Amino acid sequence: MIVTSATEAAPGRPANEDQVFRHGRVVGVLDGVTAPDLPTGCAHGPAWYVRRLVARLRESVDDEPGAVLTELLAQAIIRVRGDHPGCDLGDPSTPAATVCLVGVGADRLDYLLLGDSPLVADQGGHVAAFTDDRFDLAYASIRAEALRGDVPLGSAEHRARQRTAALRKRELTNTPEGYWIAAADPRAAANAITGSLPLTGPAAVRRAALLTDGASCAVDLFGLFDWAGLLDLVTEHGPQELIRRVRAAETADRDGFTRPRHKRHDDATIALCRFGRA
Ligand SMILES: [Zn+2]
């Protein structure tokens, strides 16, 4: 497996709340969740949380190289709990992160998804996205209310709507009726979307891209290309080129009237894994 990756904070933002890593047979991208203007009970914040979760995932891989992805993630979440014992981990806005992991086995690629960080796979020329759509389903009506495209990004009214949306969203976080995400509750790992794709035979995975929503928006928000086109762009021109294209699209719709969204720019991350002769 050959892995190339890029990650970049949103322009003007001090910290990148995305992370990308490769450790042994495991590759992951994670996107820290920001709760605008809400107390979180945590003195550390989402950028710290995501960095800690990645550090603990690496340790979990070292400790149990053969463990399934759900077990690796559960152990990492439990360990991060111990990293901030003075914080209120029962707060509904405790720092959280989406997770997209792949683990390479002898003849298959396992994946784990939590939240809106998709996996795009090219299997023998057929390209498809694998997503955890529970967040989109649970959040659809809140999103529609918050993102009507009638007030500019960054305006007071836009910010007020984002805060209202965040308050409603957190009632759905890590509940069976809502959606699951990596935070302080290790049960999220067992509730992740998981599956396996072959690495041999006619449907063998040739390429797989792990994306945070700041990168997948090239397809599912801005419509710059389809998933196959995204894989081709990143294969031919590198992951940084995808981020460059996204920045241009974000800037072209500064106020978010054409593509209503929560923020003008988002942290963006992509890891491209290539297998065999791809
Ligand atoms: Zn904390």
Side-chain angles (χ1 to χ4, degrees), residues 40-45 48-49 80 83-89 94-95:
T40 66
C42 172
H44 304 89
W48 175 88
Y49 175 79
V80 174
D83 290 336
H84 52 159
C87 298
D88 176 10
L89 302 181
T94 194

Side-chain angles (χ1 to χ4, degrees), residues 87-121:
C87 298
D88 176 10
L89 302 181
D91 190 293
S93 292
T94 194
T98 72
V99 182
C100 178
L101 295 178
V102 296
V104 179
D107 57 3
R108 66 174 209 265
L109 183 70
D110 299 326
Y111 62 86
L112 178 154
L113 305 169
L114 272 178
D116 54 354
S117 290
L119 171 71
V120 180

